[in-house]
Amino acid sequence: MVNDPNWKLPDVPSFVLESPDFSAGGTLPQWARSSIAHADGEDRSPTLHWHGFPSGTKSFVLTVFDPDAPTGSGWWHWAVLNIPASIESLAQNAGSSDAGLLPNGAISLPNDLRLETFQGAAPPAGHGEHRYVFTLSALTVELLDIPRGSTPAMLGFSMRDHVVARAQLTGLSSTPNDPAR
C-alpha cells in the first residue's frame, strides 16, 4: 500500500500549483536536496506559482511532506501559514529563514528537524524514490491563530474546517546506495 498524503482529508475542489524548477512527477533539482541532512543539496525551496483558486480565498497554507519517509508518519519538510490571498507565487529560496522572501505576515513552522525553514529532500540511501508533496490549501480565513512552534500536523488539524480548495505538486528524489559502505 502506498501512503496517501490526502487520506481522510476533506474532498475539496482543486486548483493549479506549478514550478519552473521541476515538472509534476519529475525529479527535484539537486539544490532542492538537503544540506542540513547531508544529502548534497542547498535546502533551497523551488519557485512556486498558483492560479485558479476560489475567489473567496482569504489566505493560503503551504506544506511540503514526504509520505515515503521510513518513520511510520512521513516527514514534514516545510509548513507556512498565513500567506495572504493576494500572493500567487513564492520565489526560489523563500523557504530560507534568512532570505526574507516570504510575504509579510506569513509564518514558517518548525519542520521535523524543528527548524523554521525548508529542509530539502534527503531520502535514505537505497530506499528508492520518495515523493515530496507540495500542498497549497486555500482557506476561508485570513489568519490561523496557532501557537508559534506548532507542528505541521497541528497546522493541518487547525486548518481542516477552513480549506475550500487544494493544489498539489509532487517532486521526486532518491539517494543511491553508497558503494563505499
Side-chain angles (χ1 to χ4, degrees):
M1 181 169 98
V2 175
N3 292 336
D4 179 0
N6 297 316
W7 182 64
K8 294 209 174 191
L9 291 181
D11 287 329
V12 293
S14 63
F15 60 104
V16 178
L17 177 62
E18 54 197 358
S19 176
D21 299 325
F22 70 99
S23 59
T27 302
L28 292 172
Q30 184 67 28
W31 47 258
R33 289 179 56 87
S34 185
S35 169
I36 299 165
H38 311 291
D40 299 323
E42 300 174 25
D43 292 298
R44 194 171 356 141
S45 58
T47 303
L48 298 171
H49 301 281
W50 54 90
H51 59 88
F53 51 89
S55 61
T57 299
K58 301 220 171 137
S59 70
F60 297 102
V61 165
L62 174 68
T63 59
V64 181
F65 180 67
D66 172 2
D68 305 315
T71 64
S73 61
W75 191 270
W76 293 101
H77 286 258
W78 193 26
V80 183
L81 66 147
N82 300 339
I83 300 170
S86 60
I87 302 298
E88 296 185 25
S89 66
L90 291 177
Q92 189 180 110
N93 206 32
S96 167
S97 56
D98 298 328
L101 296 173
L102 284 178
N104 287 337
I107 299 169
S108 278
L109 294 178
N111 57 32
D112 275 344
L113 289 176
R114 305 307 298 147
L115 301 172
E116 295 176 358
T117 189
F118 172 80
Q119 180 204 345
H127 199 255
E129 265 187 349
H130 282 216
R131 295 168 292 156
Y132 294 85
V133 182
F134 291 72
T135 301
L136 189 70
S137 299
L139 306 185
T140 59
V141 294
E142 286 182 22
L143 300 173
L144 284 172
D145 187 22
I146 64 172
R148 281 202 177 256
S150 293
T151 65
M154 173 73 171
L155 171 62
F157 183 78
S158 298
M159 73 179 191
R160 180 180 171 82
D161 294 336
H162 305 292
V163 176
V164 292
R166 182 180 305 113
Q168 290 187 311
L169 176 64
T170 300
L172 305 174
S173 190
S174 64
T175 304
N177 275 327
D178 184 353
R181 290 184 186 182

